[in-house]
Amino acid sequence: MKITEAKVIVCCPGRNFVTLKIMTDEGLYGVGDATLNGREKSVVAYLEDYIVPMLIGKDPQRIEDIWQYLYRGAYWRRGPVGMTAIAAVDTALWDIKAKAANMPLYQLLGGRSRDKIMVYTHANGADLPSTLDAVGKAIDQGYKAIRVQSGIPGVASTYGVAKDGGKYEPADSDLPSESVWSTEKYLNYTPTLFAEVRRQYGDDIHLLHDVHHRLTPIEAGRLGKELEPYHLFWMEDAVPAENQESFKLIRQHTTTPIAVGEVFNSIHDCRELIQNQLIDYIRSTIVHAGGITQLRRIADFAALYHVRTGFHGATDLSPICMGAALHFDYWVPNFGIQEHMPHSELMESVFSRDYQYKDGYFTPGEKSGHGVDIDESLAKKYPYQRACLPVNRLEDGTLWNW
Ligand code: CS2
Ligand code: MG
């Protein structure tokens, strides 16, 4: 089998998505997600100008060799742009291989390790009552695990919380919007929030919380400790993770489980965190961390240290990434949980999917491949619109973490 063509499809059915489609001389094709939120066009150029010409004529069944060729051959290893581009190729090639084998992708990976995949959804509110309301709605929809984020009293807007109480999109404007952050107000309020959620909804539901890299390690230790009575499933991205060693400080102070990794793109970003058992869940997923080929390596390594997977699944990861991730989740022995931030109907009209939701769990579907495809002619109707992630400043104007 030979690769005859590869094309990059950019569309914006409510948000931007970049898709790589690889065609072969046997008529089989595969698709991979290449969306890097707020920096989409850089991956488009990386693919079109460099990777696509290198793929033509190659045997698509040699997934490992192509991965190594693109990774080592660039000379410039790692980095979100290059690794997202490699992930798109890798996902499309696994799609082709599973289609050629006439198997759903999870079978090719080793078969399923569970009956269904537990997902967590988001409950967001501008204040305490509306957040409690959102948690109640998520429970009514059958979710067993809920990420709770709330507006903070005295802080005008909070990342991850829609101003109008509706759905939120992280990339919210043509140029980065700016918001004000107060660590003090956040740290004082958040334990009260979780105390109320537990008081109202009891202990059976899994609760998660995302700090979006806003704290220092000692502040994260304090938050984790104060949240201990509410038994969180995890506290996510408490600090920026360039300094892996800094997680030791968090660990020393709290037994609240720690999740990190949605912005990682390499196994080396989490090596120390995993082997020193400084985290409990690794969040890196298919599209930003080099595809299934590298994720398999990360997950197997993590299993040695009791670290489980908890893949990123926000809306900026396209349904293709979600489909591939769910096949991976079905197989991976050390699965923890999968994030699910539902795509809109419009997005799902462009991307057809085989995965199904029922009562807090997903199944990936039985179609051969990863089960997600793109309607190219419909995609054309929704051209790219630049949208950036916001930046944060402290009350005195200092630029703050992410
Ligand atoms: C978030 C995301 O889903 C999450 O855990 O952190 O909203 C994230 O900020 C976006 O995916 C960024 O693109
Ligand atoms: Mg997050």
Side-chain angles (χ1 to χ4, degrees), residues 276-304:
N276 295 320
Q277 295 181 249
L278 299 177
I279 59 170
D280 302 280
Y281 296 93
I282 180 72
R283 300 223 344 104
S284 316
T285 190
I286 313 286
V287 59
H288 299 134
I292 290 161
T293 297
Q294 184 175 240
L295 247 306
R296 224 168 33 159
R297 223 152 260 147
I298 294 176
D300 281 342
F301 177 60
L304 302 179

Side-chain angles (χ1 to χ4, degrees), residues 15 37 120 122 147 159 168 170 210 212-213 236-237 262 283 312-317 339 341 389 402:
R15 71 152 3 275
N37 201 11
Y120 72 90
H122 294 189
R147 187 189 93 165
Y159 185 78
Y168 87 99
D210 193 344
H212 290 115
H213 315 98
E236 174 187 340
D237 286 346
E262 67 181 43
R283 300 223 344 104
H312 188 199
T315 39
D316 49 293
L317 289 73
E339 181 177 13
M341 190 177 166
L389 288 159
W402 208 49

Side-chain angles (χ1 to χ4, degrees), residues 212-328:
H212 290 115
H213 315 98
R214 298 280 195 272
L215 300 178
T216 64
I218 197 67
E219 289 164 351
R222 167 181 157 191
L223 180 63
K225 195 184 210 170
E226 292 187 9
L227 291 176
E228 279 169 19
Y230 316 114
H231 305 131
L232 263 59
F233 188 93
W234 78 35
M235 172 171 76
E236 174 187 340
D237 286 346
V239 299
E242 284 95 330
N243 180 356
Q244 298 183 39
E245 217 185 311
S246 69
F247 278 67
K248 278 187 192 155
L249 199 55
I250 311 175
R251 256 305 196 233
Q252 279 163 15
H253 290 284
T254 183
T255 56
T256 294
I258 295 169
V260 73
E262 67 181 43
V263 302
F264 295 174
N265 51 72
S266 163
I267 191 166
H268 300 287
D269 293 333
C270 51
R271 189 173 50 77
E272 287 175 50
L273 290 170
I274 291 172
Q275 74 188 13
N276 295 320
Q277 295 181 249
L278 299 177
I279 59 170
D280 302 280
Y281 296 93
I282 180 72
R283 300 223 344 104
S284 316
T285 190
I286 313 286
V287 59
H288 299 134
I292 290 161
T293 297
Q294 184 175 240
L295 247 306
R296 224 168 33 159
R297 223 152 260 147
I298 294 176
D300 281 342
F301 177 60
L304 302 179
Y305 299 94
H306 308 278
V307 175
R308 295 190 279 160
T309 63
F311 284 177
H312 188 199
T315 39
D316 49 293
L317 289 73
S318 93
I320 296 174
C321 175
M322 188 69 179
L326 287 168
H327 280 269
F328 194 100

Side-chain angles (χ1 to χ4, degrees), residues 2-15:
K2 284 208 178 341
I3 297 174
T4 50
E5 195 190 339
K7 58 177 160 180
V8 183
I9 305 154
V10 183
C11 62
C12 184
R15 71 152 3 275

Side-chain angles (χ1 to χ4, degrees), residues 55-356:
L55 291 176
I56 309 303
K58 284 207 162 22
D59 177 354
Q61 308 239 44
R62 297 184 63 187
I63 300 177
E64 186 68 51
D65 186 69
I66 291 176
W67 195 96
Q68 300 293 344
Y69 177 90
L70 297 175
Y71 182 76
R72 293 164 197 246
Y75 186 75
W76 311 105
R77 297 181 183 203
R78 306 165 64 177
V81 176
M83 295 307 281
T84 300
I86 293 177
V89 175
D90 189 76
T91 308
L93 295 183
W94 278 99
D95 194 24
I96 291 172
K97 195 183 264 299
K99 283 174 178 167
N102 201 19
M103 284 180 185
L105 175 58
Y106 75 84
Q107 291 289 13
L108 205 56
L109 291 170
R112 67 184 175 88
S113 301
R114 54 198 49 80
D115 302 332
K116 50 192 180 176
I117 298 153
M118 183 167 72
V119 293
Y120 72 90
T121 192
H122 294 189
N124 314 313
D127 54 20
L128 187 56
S130 58
T131 308
L132 291 170
D133 217 38
V135 173
K137 281 195 187 120
I139 293 173
D140 292 346
Q141 287 165 357
Y143 286 100
K144 310 290 180 271
I146 303 171
R147 187 189 93 165
V148 183
Q149 306 295 131
S150 170
I152 305 158
V155 175
S157 71
T158 307
Y159 185 78
V161 177
K163 288 186 188 83
D164 56 3
K167 289 194 178 359
Y168 87 99
E169 273 298 336
D172 60 2
S173 68
D174 181 42
L175 292 173
S177 61
E178 297 201 7
S179 50
V180 176
W181 172 255
S182 163
T183 300
E184 297 74 21
K185 290 181 176 117
Y186 168 74
L187 284 178
N188 289 336
Y189 170 66
T190 305
T192 320
L193 166 70
F194 280 91
E196 268 311 300
V197 175
R198 280 286 180 228
R199 199 185 59 76
Q200 194 155 327
Y201 298 107
D203 290 326
D204 288 346
I205 197 87
H206 292 302
L207 299 179
L208 300 84
H209 182 64
D210 193 344
V211 187
H212 290 115
H213 315 98
R214 298 280 195 272
L215 300 178
T216 64
I218 197 67
E219 289 164 351
R222 167 181 157 191
L223 180 63
K225 195 184 210 170
E226 292 187 9
L227 291 176
E228 279 169 19
Y230 316 114
H231 305 131
L232 263 59
F233 188 93
W234 78 35
M235 172 171 76
E236 174 187 340
D237 286 346
V239 299
E242 284 95 330
N243 180 356
Q244 298 183 39
E245 217 185 311
S246 69
F247 278 67
K248 278 187 192 155
L249 199 55
I250 311 175
R251 256 305 196 233
Q252 279 163 15
H253 290 284
T254 183
T255 56
T256 294
I258 295 169
V260 73
E262 67 181 43
V263 302
F264 295 174
N265 51 72
S266 163
I267 191 166
H268 300 287
D269 293 333
C270 51
R271 189 173 50 77
E272 287 175 50
L273 290 170
I274 291 172
Q275 74 188 13
N276 295 320
Q277 295 181 249
L278 299 177
I279 59 170
D280 302 280
Y281 296 93
I282 180 72
R283 300 223 344 104
S284 316
T285 190
I286 313 286
V287 59
H288 299 134
I292 290 161
T293 297
Q294 184 175 240
L295 247 306
R296 224 168 33 159
R297 223 152 260 147
I298 294 176
D300 281 342
F301 177 60
L304 302 179
Y305 299 94
H306 308 278
V307 175
R308 295 190 279 160
T309 63
F311 284 177
H312 188 199
T315 39
D316 49 293
L317 289 73
S318 93
I320 296 174
C321 175
M322 188 69 179
L326 287 168
H327 280 269
F328 194 100
D329 294 335
Y330 217 27
W331 156 71
V332 68
N334 49 325
F335 170 76
I337 199 165
Q338 165 72 52
E339 181 177 13
H340 176 227
M341 190 177 166
H343 291 107
S344 67
E345 264 179 45
L346 182 63
M347 294 170 195
E348 290 191 344
S349 66
V350 174
F351 294 92
S352 59
R353 62 173 168 90
D354 199 25
Y355 53 84
Q356 295 298 331

